[in-house]
Amino acid sequence: GAGVSQSPSNKVTEKGKDVELRCDPISGHTALYWYRQRLGQGLEFLIYFQGNSAPDKSGLPSDRFSAERTGESVSTLTIQRTQQEDSAVYLCASSLLAGGKWEQYFGPGTRLTVT
Amino acid sequence: RKEVEQDPGPFNVPEGATVAFNCTYSNSASQSFFWYRQDCRKEPKLLMSVYSSGNEDGRFTAQLNRASQYISLLIRDSKLSDSATYLCVVTMNTGNQFYFGTGTSLTVIP
């Protein structure tokens, strides 16, 4: 079946511009996550949505970052006034309960380059 | 202290070798455990879940030691295609908060 999809796959933007990244989770997955991965580094948790509960925003690095999710479907991550240090791959994942444990599946990511 | 710690490596092993990775986690309330694989410039992909009784999938064996709070991954008869970064992952609380290690890099050499 269809996996997690993300768009765009690549985004080049000028410093100071706003960008919006999109994630379409696997249908039926109630939980959705955003991560950031800088070149050669590990995954950095950003935000987590679970059903209709209030999102866990504890990983957002600054108030320039925000995310929304409509119900249990698409999510958008918005970065305002982009800075060069925002350059990274932004990964979205969704998860479901399988065999008594949650399993997480990733999209291909959006590679953001801020010039 | 990080929730999950891994030796970053790199591990460089010849084809056919057996290699093992360990990972430690800090929270004894951790619920579920996984190994993910991440190829260069690709997204992480679930390799296998880890169960207390240990589990095997072909050349891959995963073990969990709750008392010592570590998990391991053993790869037998390494193939060139095993070259990747292996991520240790644990979940907490309700089971759907995921914590990733920084990964262990493996290169299998011809």
Side-chain angles (χ1 to χ4, degrees):
Chain A
V4 178
S5 61
Q6 292 186 245
S7 61
S9 54
N10 283 283
K11 176 72 176 178
V12 180
T13 190
E14 292 181 353
K15 178 181 172 181
K17 301 284 189 183
D18 297 352
V19 294
E20 191 172 280
L21 313 180
R22 178 188 170 105
C23 171
D24 284 273
I26 295 171
S27 178
H29 283 202
T30 58
L32 185 148
Y33 310 76
W34 283 98
Y35 297 89
R36 178 170 70 180
Q37 188 172 33
R38 293 193 169 109
L39 187 63
Q41 297 189 20
L43 292 170
E44 179 184 357
F45 166 76
L46 297 177
I47 188 169
Y48 154 59
F49 296 90
Q50 171 61 52
N52 294 318
S53 302
D56 177 355
K57 303 180 182 180
S58 59
L60 295 178
S62 77
D63 59 8
R64 296 187 295 107
F65 288 72
S66 62
E68 294 183 350
R69 187 183 187 195
T70 306
E72 294 185 353
S73 61
V74 65
S75 175
T76 55
L77 175 69
T78 302
I79 308 174
Q80 296 178 309
R81 305 181 302 282
T82 52
Q83 303 294 313
Q84 288 186 330
E85 64 262 26
D86 298 336
S87 296
V89 175
Y90 289 81
L91 290 160
C92 174
S94 67
S95 71
L96 84 162
L97 192 61
K101 59 169 64 179
W102 291 86
E103 293 184 347
Q104 193 173 75
Y105 297 88
F106 283 83
T110 293
R111 187 172 302 278
L112 175 66
T113 303
V114 182
T115 62
Chain B
R1 182 181 176 187
K2 291 181 180 179
E3 297 285 354
V4 180
E5 303 226 34
Q6 294 182 251
D7 178 351
F11 284 70
N12 299 314
V13 303
E15 268 188 292
T18 296
V19 61
F21 308 134
N22 288 328
C23 161
T24 58
Y25 59 95
S26 61
N27 193 326
S28 60
S30 297
Q31 292 197 353
S32 302
F33 308 87
F34 307 90
W35 284 101
Y36 276 70
R37 169 193 171 128
Q38 186 172 26
D39 291 284
C40 187
R41 299 176 74 86
K42 297 286 189 182
E43 73 274 22
K45 293 187 177 178
L46 178 63
L47 179 65
M48 60 197 302
S49 298
V50 187
Y51 301 101
S52 296
S53 56
N55 47 300
E56 190 173 305
D57 183 1
R59 297 181 294 108
F60 297 81
T61 301
Q63 294 278 357
L64 166 64
N65 185 320
R66 282 193 181 269
S68 302
Q69 294 181 205
Y70 80 81
I71 68 175
S72 64
L73 178 68
L74 182 78
I75 306 175
R76 291 182 300 278
D77 188 23
S78 299
K79 311 291 185 190
L80 296 177
S81 57
D82 294 335
S83 298
T85 296
Y86 290 83
L87 303 169
C88 172
V89 184
V90 305
T91 70
M92 313 279 186
N93 302 331
T94 58
N96 56 359
Q97 292 176 295
F98 289 75
Y99 294 87
F100 285 76
T102 53
T104 299
S105 173
L106 171 67
T107 301
V108 181
I109 304 164

